[in-house]
Amino acid sequence: MTQTPALRLQRFRKVVRRAGSLLPAAALLYACSSESTEPSSTSVPPSLSLIRITPVGAPAWEPGDSCVERGHDSDGSVAVQVRLTDGELRAPGACGSRSACGHLQFSIAGADFSQSARGSSASQTFSLADAPLGVQYTFSVTLADDDGVALEGADGEPLSVSAEVELAAPGSCGGNPLPQDAGADSGSDSGTDAGVDSGTDAAVDSGTDAGVDSGTDAGVDSGAADSASADADAEAG
């Protein structure tokens, strides 16, 4: 059947309209497939834990313990140590736009004594020489942003850890004093022994030398005397 120009134009318009109706569906299908292949960009919130409180010259406190000794040095030094996971430590004011980044705020607080410090190290040493003993102290550490606001953990709560610990006198929690006494005793014993040995050796050496020198000198002098006597007798004869 021969198609007239008008009929061919009509069929061409139908094809164009049909193709145009399929374009939105194809575009939607492509968009959906593109979104489903994009990787997830969710990040893991940081976590913080208090792992150790270490006095100088004594065993460290660990989670579950109720007592920690004052440091055995003159400053009563005690180091508080934490562990930060999935986070970054920087000096206060140095994080900028970095996520999960902050500095640590340390504090020790009791009824009549408190100290605090902040920094980018996971450990902070305090001088507790003036802290009253036999009372409870709260050791706390917080991860804070550049503005001093605590970062949030996985539970949405401020990222802060703490422990209630009794501060005790040196030796009260099972620790041993610094080996200063042992060093003094060792030095004293060593000096005494050295002096005795030295004196003994000196005396022995002195006596030996004196004996040898005395015997030798006496023998030489006696021989010389005999020789002079013999010469005198020969001249007289």
Side-chain angles (χ1 to χ4, degrees), residues 69-92:
E69 297 178 15
R70 174 194 284 168
H72 294 198
D73 61 339
S74 59
D75 291 330
S77 302
V78 173
V80 181
Q81 184 179 357
V82 298
R83 178 183 292 118
L84 175 64
T85 305
D86 298 318
E88 181 181 6
L89 289 177
R90 284 180 169 260

Side-chain angles (χ1 to χ4, degrees), residues 37-110:
T37 57
E38 290 181 358
S40 174
S41 59
T42 58
S43 59
V44 178
S47 61
L48 187 67
S49 56
L50 178 60
I51 60 173
R52 193 172 293 111
I53 302 174
T54 308
V56 170
W61 170 95
E62 295 181 349
D65 296 343
S66 60
C67 174
V68 66
E69 297 178 15
R70 174 194 284 168
H72 294 198
D73 61 339
S74 59
D75 291 330
S77 302
V78 173
V80 181
Q81 184 179 357
V82 298
R83 178 183 292 118
L84 175 64
T85 305
D86 298 318
E88 181 181 6
L89 289 177
R90 284 180 169 260
C95 282
S97 60
R98 293 173 179 268
S99 60
C101 175
H103 63 274
L104 294 175
Q105 298 176 340
F106 296 83
S107 69
I108 300 176

Side-chain angles (χ1 to χ4, degrees), residues 209-225:
D209 293 341
V212 171
D213 292 342
S214 176
T216 302
D217 294 341
V220 171
D221 293 342
S222 177

Side-chain angles (χ1 to χ4, degrees), residues 177-203:
L178 286 172
Q180 294 175 349
D181 295 339
D185 293 341
S186 176
S188 177
D189 293 342
S190 175
T192 303
D193 293 342
V196 172
D197 292 342
S198 176
T200 303
D201 292 342

Side-chain angles (χ1 to χ4, degrees), residues 109-123:
D112 301 312
F113 180 89
S114 65
Q115 278 191 14
S116 62
R118 63 176 186 165
S120 58
S121 173
S123 179

